[in-house]
Amino acid sequence: MSVRIKICGLTRPGDMEMVAAAGASYGGLVFFPKSPRNVTIEAARALALEAPVGLAKVALVVNPTDELLDRITSAVPLDMIQLHGSEPPERVAEVRARYGLPVMKAVGVAEEADLQKLVTYQQVADQILVDAKPPKSGVLPGGNGLAFDWRLIAGRRWSRPWMLAGGLTSENVGRAIAMTGAVQVDLSSGVESAPGVKDASKVAAFVAAAREAEAVPRL
């Protein structure tokens, strides 16, 4: 089973086509003003419209209001919503029902106690993003280039598809996949030449490294 790759934080014209050509399965758009990868709804619409057929377009939002989600979903053709804040399970279920789109819920992991949240959210989300928990002093819920101890999830299984994130690069993705059995991986800063600027050569190198890794599918 080929590893599926999500490149998040696309900001520039041509980014969607570039990541799709490299072999990515998902292209992520960030709607969070504090992020250097934040895009306006108008810019996101233009980016989404240029996405090739087959590339899933994902909107990353943080504790969004219905008003914001209404504006995004009415203007931007999307395939998935990624909730990357502190949304409780009830809110995840609400978003899923209201917008009729698959919902991915990000869960920050730093220690074994955090793993229970994965069990909880798998009941209401279509996919789970297993990410490194942001530092307490940080302002960004993701995209910090930080990894967590992958041994925490080695051998574990969930009932929903899941994606590994947090500090991935072309140099460590093979080890991460071998250790966790991930068949989907997500990154943003690891393929940038500057915050918010995706580097085509880095994207290609990451995809090649992920494809070369032997993943054990989780059922």
Side-chain angles (χ1 to χ4, degrees):
M1 182 177 181
S2 297
V3 175
R4 291 166 62 83
I5 297 159
K6 176 171 171 281
I7 307 294
C8 197
L10 305 183
T11 62
R12 301 183 300 167
D15 276 357
M16 287 281 186
E17 293 179 347
M18 181 264 289
V19 300
S25 299
Y26 305 84
L29 299 165
V30 175
F31 299 90
F32 186 58
K34 294 180 180 180
S35 171
R37 303 166 189 95
N38 180 61
V39 289
T40 64
I41 292 175
E42 293 74 19
R45 175 177 171 81
L47 286 164
L49 288 174
E50 74 176 24
V53 174
L55 183 72
K57 303 170 293 294
V58 183
L60 185 159
V61 287
V62 180
N63 301 319
T65 62
D66 284 348
E67 188 272 337
L68 175 61
L69 287 174
D70 288 349
R71 289 171 53 216
I72 292 172
T73 56
S74 65
V76 185
L78 296 170
D79 299 293
M80 181 177 288
I81 295 171
Q82 177 179 330
L83 297 176
H84 213 106
S86 57
E87 303 89 359
E90 297 78 14
R91 179 57 174 159
V92 176
E94 285 176 2
V95 170
R96 190 168 179 259
R98 180 180 175 94
Y99 297 99
L101 288 169
V103 173
M104 178 187 296
K105 178 66 180 91
V107 177
V109 172
E111 56 188 6
E112 190 166 359
D114 297 321
L115 301 182
Q116 180 55 42
K117 292 181 181 179
L118 298 170
V119 177
T120 299
Y121 281 106
Q122 72 178 352
Q123 309 299 324
V124 291
D126 296 278
Q127 294 203 42
I128 300 294
L129 182 71
V130 187
D131 199 359
K133 183 179 284 187
K136 293 182 179 180
S137 60
V139 296
L140 300 180
N144 294 293
L146 300 175
F148 64 95
D149 186 349
W150 298 319
R151 292 173 295 183
L152 288 170
I153 62 170
R156 294 182 182 269
R157 286 169 169 75
W158 297 281
S159 62
R160 296 289 188 178
W162 65 280
M163 191 175 290
L164 179 66
L168 295 175
T169 66
S170 58
E171 288 76 26
N172 67 17
V173 67
R175 186 169 73 257
I177 289 172
M179 188 174 294
T180 65
V183 296
Q184 298 194 110
V185 292
D186 173 34
L187 83 166
S188 184
S189 60
V191 288
E192 291 181 340
S193 57
V197 181
K198 296 297 184 284
D199 184 296
S201 62
K202 290 185 177 182
V203 171
F206 181 86
V207 173
R211 290 279 187 264
E212 291 171 5
E214 290 186 3
V216 179
R218 295 195 171 188
L219 303 177

